[in-house]
Amino acid sequence: EDESEEEPKLKYERLSNGVTEILQKDAASCMTVHEKFLALGTHYGKVYLLDVQGNITQKFDVSPVKINQISLDESGEHMGVCSEDGKVQVFGLYSAEEFHETFDCPIKIVAVHPQFVRSHFKQFVTGGKKLLLYERGWMNRWKPSVLHEGEGNIRNIKWRGHLIAWANNMGVKILDMISKQRITNVPRDDISLRPDMYPCSLCWKDNLTLIIGWGNSVKICSVKERHASEMRDLPNRYVEIVFQFDTEFYVSGLAPLCDQLVILSYVKEISEKTEVECCARPRLDIVQPLPESCEEISSDALTVRGFQENECRDYHLEYSEGESLFYIISPRDVVVAKERDQDDHIDWLLEKKKYEEALMAAEISQKTIKKHKILDIGLAYINHLMEKGEYDLAARKCQKILGKNTELWEFEVYKFKEIGQLKAISRYLPRRDPVLKPLIYEMVLHEFLESDYEGFATLIKEWPGDLYNNTIIVQAVVDHLKKDPQNRTLLRTLAELYTYDQRYGRALEIYLTLRHKDVFQLIHKHNLFSSIRDKIVLLMDFDSEKAVDMLLDNEDKISIDRVVEELENRPELQHVYLHKLFKRDHHKGQRYHEKQISLYAEYDRPNLLPFLRDSTHCPLEKALEICQQRNFVEETVYLLSRMGNSRSALKMIMEELQDVDKAIEFAKEQDDGELWEDLILYSIDKPPFITGLLNNIGTHVDPILLIHRIKEGMEIPNLRDSLVKILQDYNLQILLREGCKKILVADSLSLLKKMHRTQMKGVLVDEENICESCLSPILPSDASKSFSVVVFHCRHMFHRECLPVSNTVSSVQFCNICSAKHRGPGSAVLEMKK
């Protein structure tokens, strides 16, 4: 076979067993294939019936000379045989039915009717110098009739349905047995070739398609019905050549394969040694016919026994339609070609070391393959990758190929260990379903521990702690830490191992030593608050923000008092904790508010004043003492004002801060006339203060009080601007008052109009309304009677006669009920009646 990268389409095997025995003493001359058995004719005149494995089932001694042709009907129950000595026999294989005839010339061909088993189709044809049709008639006598003669020996006949095709020295003819008319003549292309040395090959693809191969020419002919208008004296059928092409070599046989052709070719080549033309190995080609050419699909050179001595006429190609089996017959050999199945495809891929494609093909066809197992292919693939040095890919494929087979997993791991590639497979080891023996995982971890601390740490983080013996790994890490005690990677990994082993205290100590970010997560996850009672300072030193948040979120587990006690020697941390506590709740840490005054004063003065303002539990005297000691003016001012000593506070602002704006602001907040008086007295001899007062006093105190006290001749900065501002502020006040007055008048008028419109609307009076005085229906039951009703704007209704007579001179009447509500004593009785 051609050793190319292209996969062959067919596979070959010799037909052995009985055939081998036959061909050791005799030579094959022809063969016919039936779906149930094979019929082989030899040069010594024997006919053998064989099973598909080549075993002999029956033998017939037909003639002492070469068997030229064997023909079977479709049922396989009747056989026709002709030989070189002119003998023709047609007989039943399972009946006594038999016909014998001897001609005076060699009979090259015989063909029985495809439906010979049926009584009205007892027909066969023979080919010698004439084409004779034998029909069994009355009294079981066989009647011959000549169908064709005069064009040389007939060397091939193929009968299909009602059509007989035969080849003589001139060309190929087709006879319609229904009309007994010859419907075509396809002439021979290359008349230089001897027809006895290069015989014609005929093959019916179906009932209407004939394939002709002669020399190096191939034609595909289609039998078609002639239109009625074209009949005249012509046959009712005609033949059209639909494909025609030439081949490189001489055609020895043809067979259809779906829409393609299988061609057996006889090849001659020039010998390199003798430079003489000699016979080469025959070729079996699969081609795709095209209108004027063909496309080669595959081409295989066949090594048949004795091919150097064979001629074109010595080769024959027979096929079994149902199974796509092709039989290449030569005098010394019979080779069977069959379409390659998925097992063969996988074999070829494995041979070419295309393991991945083989594995994919096996997975797709796992229900149909018989020879191969997916697992075996996968293991071969893994071995191939390891031989190539692609260890990571081999390890990755283990996941898919080994699946849940723990024995295979462990076997492969040891193979990786032998070649020093445990690291490659570590990422792909199964971690659950299945789980391997702990020894496997420990072996991998020890490999990393010896050479790659970071990789070791990664595996410990990714692998569940129950895969291996934690105690063994912990001891191994401890031994390595003796050599390198400050190795942060090993320390971090040891902490994780302690965590898996539920030795959280030791893990926590390591995390705190390393100042590891996961320390808080560890505490929360495993509820280690009891373990951190004496480690609060360490936590605060590591990350005070996170530590305080965690402590405050878990007050029920670690009390405020315990935290404050632990931080007693670290007042700066104590302040951070108490400050955060105060922010969350002003009352929870009230017992520590006195302590917090000193802490704020020492570590966080900007937040001292907000604390003093927000705290209701802070001792003011203590706070004032501390602020005065430290000369915190703003805080002292606030405390003095809160304790009611506003004058001292104002004095402190003026004397210590000398900030007139702040003094004015303070006076505004207190809104005390005496404070304004003190402020004016203090500022009267200080021109800058007077300017500040003039700019801000206008809206709270009459500026005249200040202006009258200014000494004559005192130079005051920006006096003109200040006076202008006072006038502007006054004008603004006047404008605001006038604007407010206009708005008030407009709103009053609008509401009066709205009230008037409302009171002018009609009021619905119906049977459901009652008199508020007599409580009877307001409308009389008899509508014809005259009545008088009074309805007030307040929607109360009265009969005219029920209304009391007014004592006033004015004719205006008022609702008794609404009036009584404002008069006092009688109102309670009316409200009770309601």
Side-chain angles (χ1 to χ4, degrees), residues 545-561:
E545 284 292 322
K546 284 187 177 179
V548 169
D549 287 336
M550 181 188 70
L551 293 169
L552 293 177
D553 290 339
N554 297 274
E555 288 177 30
D556 55 329
K557 296 165 186 170
I558 302 180
S559 66
I560 296 171
D561 295 340

Side-chain angles (χ1 to χ4, degrees), residues 93-109:
L93 295 176
Y94 311 107
S95 66
E97 191 175 10
E98 188 173 3
F99 168 82
H100 290 269
E101 184 69 48
T102 302
F103 295 87
D104 58 358
C105 66
I107 301 300
K108 298 295 183 182
I109 203 79

Side-chain angles (χ1 to χ4, degrees), residues 806-820:
S806 176
N807 296 328
T808 60
V809 180
S810 173
S811 60
V812 179
Q813 287 186 308
F814 297 96
C815 172
N816 292 347
I817 295 173
C818 295
S819 300

Side-chain angles (χ1 to χ4, degrees), residues 1-4 12 14 248-250 252 263-271 277-285 299-312 315 328 330 333 335:
E1 293 186 1
D2 186 13
E3 295 180 358
S4 65
Y12 303 90
R14 282 190 168 87
E248 186 178 355
F249 308 109
Y250 299 110
S252 293
I263 302 176
L264 177 63
S265 300
Y266 171 69
V267 181
K268 284 189 174 184
E269 62 184 8
I270 304 297
S271 173
E277 189 176 56
C278 60
C279 299
R281 294 185 297 169
R283 301 187 69 85
L284 192 69
D285 299 332
S299 181
D300 300 320
L302 309 178
T303 305
V304 298
R305 295 187 182 100
F307 69 88
Q308 300 90 341
E309 303 167 2
N310 293 338
E311 298 291 341
C312 184
Y315 293 110
I328 298 94
S330 67
D333 216 348
V335 177

Side-chain angles (χ1 to χ4, degrees), residues 625-815:
E625 179 184 348
I626 292 172
C627 290
Q628 286 177 338
Q629 287 175 356
R630 293 176 177 268
N631 197 27
F632 292 169
V633 177
E634 292 185 16
E635 291 80 356
T636 303
V637 168
Y638 169 74
L639 289 170
L640 287 172
S641 64
R642 186 170 168 186
M643 295 169 70
N645 196 351
S646 300
R647 285 191 166 186
S648 298
L650 180 62
K651 182 179 179 182
M652 196 168 190
I653 294 172
M654 300 297 288
E655 292 178 354
E656 300 291 337
L657 297 179
Q658 295 186 355
D659 189 341
V660 67
D661 293 329
K662 187 164 285 190
I664 292 168
E665 189 65 33
F666 179 76
K668 288 180 181 179
E669 288 176 3
Q670 301 300 318
D671 197 19
D672 185 349
E674 292 182 359
L675 280 181
W676 282 108
E677 184 67 25
D678 291 345
L679 182 56
I680 291 170
L681 289 174
Y682 183 82
S683 305
I684 201 66
D685 58 348
K686 301 177 182 63
F689 278 38
I690 292 174
T691 303
L693 281 173
L694 288 173
N695 288 335
N696 293 280
I697 202 172
T699 54
H700 292 78
V701 180
D702 189 353
I704 298 299
L705 296 174
L706 175 61
I707 293 170
H708 283 167
R709 297 186 183 186
I710 297 173
K711 295 178 181 179
E712 188 175 346
M714 180 182 286
E715 186 174 339
I716 298 172
N718 301 318
L719 176 61
R720 186 185 65 180
D721 294 340
S722 299
L723 292 175
V724 169
K725 187 176 183 306
I726 290 172
L727 294 174
Q728 287 177 343
D729 289 345
Y730 179 75
N731 287 334
L732 182 60
Q733 288 183 14
I734 297 300
L735 289 173
L736 284 172
R737 288 178 183 176
E738 290 178 354
C740 290
K741 182 179 179 183
K742 287 180 180 179
I743 292 169
L744 183 62
V745 170
D747 286 350
S748 299
L749 182 59
S750 174
L751 291 171
L752 179 62
K753 290 179 178 178
K754 183 178 179 182
M755 184 183 74
H756 182 260
R757 285 196 304 272
T758 303
Q759 291 181 346
M760 292 300 292
K761 290 181 180 178
V763 179
L764 175 65
V765 180
D766 56 18
E767 295 82 357
E768 295 182 2
N769 298 112
I770 61 172
C771 173
E772 297 293 341
S773 179
C774 66
L775 303 180
S776 60
I778 197 69
L779 298 176
S781 56
D782 187 358
S784 61
K785 293 183 179 180
S786 60
F787 63 93
S788 179
V789 174
V790 177
V791 180
F792 292 97
H793 292 300
C794 59
R795 298 299 187 269
H796 289 135
M797 304 179 187
F798 296 90
H799 294 124
R800 167 67 71 178
E801 58 272 17
C802 293
L803 273 177
V805 179
S806 176
N807 296 328
T808 60
V809 180
S810 173
S811 60
V812 179
Q813 287 186 308
F814 297 96
C815 172

Side-chain angles (χ1 to χ4, degrees), residues 391-401 424-425 427-428:
Y391 304 113
D392 186 74
L393 182 57
R396 196 184 322 147
K397 292 298 178 183
C398 286
Q399 285 185 311
K400 179 180 179 182
I401 294 166
I425 202 171
R427 286 190 294 165
Y428 308 105

